[in-house]
Amino acid sequence: MNVSSRLLEQLIVQPGRAAAIAKRDPGWTGGPDFEDLGRPELEERAREALARGIEELSDAQELLWASDSYALLVVLQAMDAAGKDSAIEHVMSGVNPQGVQVVSFRKPSAAELDHDFLWRISQALPERGRIGIFNRSHYEEVVALKVHPEWLESQRLPPGDRGQSFWNERYEDINAFERHLDRNGTKIVKFFLHVSKAVQKERFLARLDTPGKEWKFNAADVEERALWDDYMAAFEDALTATSTPWAPWYVIPADHKWLTQALVARVLVEKVRSLELRWPEVSAAEHAANVDARRKLDAEVP
């Protein structure tokens, strides 16, 4: 399939508009342009698109590294079993490992709780020339903690209201933080992998039933699944409040991993290309030194 810019536009949460997660189909396969394709053909085309995306992303990452003027921060958020890990594995499979770093944020440590909620995020940002991937991120602070407000108690925050104004202020802080990063060369792309509750159940059961996969299953995930509607509401609020021109959210249908990965790869390629990077230029002195070095190499006796 051709993952066009027009196709990707349909996935963006437009700034100032509701994310409308409930109206987005997790099983979406490209819309009317692809409705005449059978499942095998559609999957084959998506895998071809992924292969092209992997190759193009490899070239784009090399240019990002060589130019050493920007960093790319990729934020992945989703319900459990939506395919974050597999997206990272497949989309980044052709990229030089030296140019990529992946960070997974778990329960904050004691040291992290002695700082503001964005402190540990700042410590993990990619340096210029690299792609940083956050597998879960600062958005846990306005999603998981909104579903479980009792978890705020461990953050030792100053006294104050914990109502909607509290969350609005956190959205404001996140937007300001991401604006600061963008202005200083860290470009941000955020993905919400939108999986259906039915497919999540299938994937949970597959982990339990497949030899060698049970270790990936966490019984606590089923407890969180019972709060599905609360999580969807929290994601809706967060995506609506924090999809900005400088750090947009893409809602990626995640019921079909082969399509999820193709779409993520294409978005990342387009993002790096939009930076209009150029290969570093060699100065006249450097060129003269290279010419002399070439002369010495040519003069070597075999």
Side-chain angles (χ1 to χ4, degrees), residues 56-96:
E56 292 169 353
L57 184 59
S58 176
D59 294 338
Q61 184 271 331
E62 184 178 5
L63 181 54
L64 183 71
W65 176 273
S67 64
D68 198 27
S69 53
Y70 290 97
L72 181 63
L73 175 60
V74 182
V75 173
L76 288 170
Q77 290 288 156
M79 295 295 285
D80 295 302
K84 298 189 305 299
D85 291 342
S86 61
I88 295 170
E89 177 185 357
H90 289 84
V91 172
M92 294 294 161
S93 61
V95 174
N96 187 331

Side-chain angles (χ1 to χ4, degrees), residues 117-276:
F117 77 95
L118 290 171
W119 180 80
R120 66 173 181 164
I121 304 301
S122 298
Q123 310 304 304
L125 291 170
E127 62 191 65
R128 299 188 192 280
R130 304 189 78 189
I131 297 175
I133 302 173
F134 285 176
N135 186 348
R136 301 191 188 278
S137 66
H138 43 301
Y139 283 94
E140 293 297 302
E141 297 285 341
V142 290
V143 174
L145 268 72
K146 195 172 186 182
V147 175
H148 293 280
E150 67 276 11
W151 293 352
L152 286 168
E153 296 177 7
S154 66
Q155 296 194 350
R156 298 188 286 279
L157 298 172
D161 178 61
R162 301 291 185 258
Q164 187 57 44
S165 62
F166 173 84
W167 302 109
N168 290 342
E169 289 171 356
R170 284 206 163 186
Y171 300 146
E172 291 175 6
D173 291 341
I174 288 172
N175 286 339
F177 173 70
E178 293 178 349
R179 184 61 168 143
H180 166 73
L181 295 180
D182 176 77
R183 285 173 170 161
N184 286 274
T186 298
K187 299 301 176 178
I188 306 168
V189 181
K190 300 179 295 196
F191 297 106
F192 173 63
L193 304 190
H194 184 24
V195 69
S196 67
K197 194 174 183 180
V199 169
Q200 187 198 57
K201 179 179 178 180
E202 291 176 4
R203 292 176 181 173
F204 279 168
L205 291 174
R207 290 176 181 180
L208 289 170
D209 296 339
T210 304
K213 295 291 185 180
E214 188 174 349
W215 67 270
K216 297 181 67 177
F217 181 79
N218 186 340
D221 292 343
V222 177
E223 301 301 321
E224 295 302 292
R225 174 180 167 82
L227 301 171
W228 185 276
D229 291 344
D230 293 337
Y231 271 102
M232 289 300 103
F235 274 121
E236 174 73 20
D237 290 345
L239 270 61
T240 297
T242 62
S243 192
T244 60
W246 55 88
W249 276 105
Y250 288 81
V251 179
I252 305 294
D255 278 4
H256 307 296
K257 289 186 178 182
W258 38 269
L259 179 61
T260 302
Q261 295 158 15
L263 293 172
V264 169
R266 177 49 50 190
V267 171
L268 296 182
V269 169
E270 294 296 325
K271 185 62 177 182
V272 177
R273 286 179 173 174
S274 73
L275 301 178
E276 298 182 349

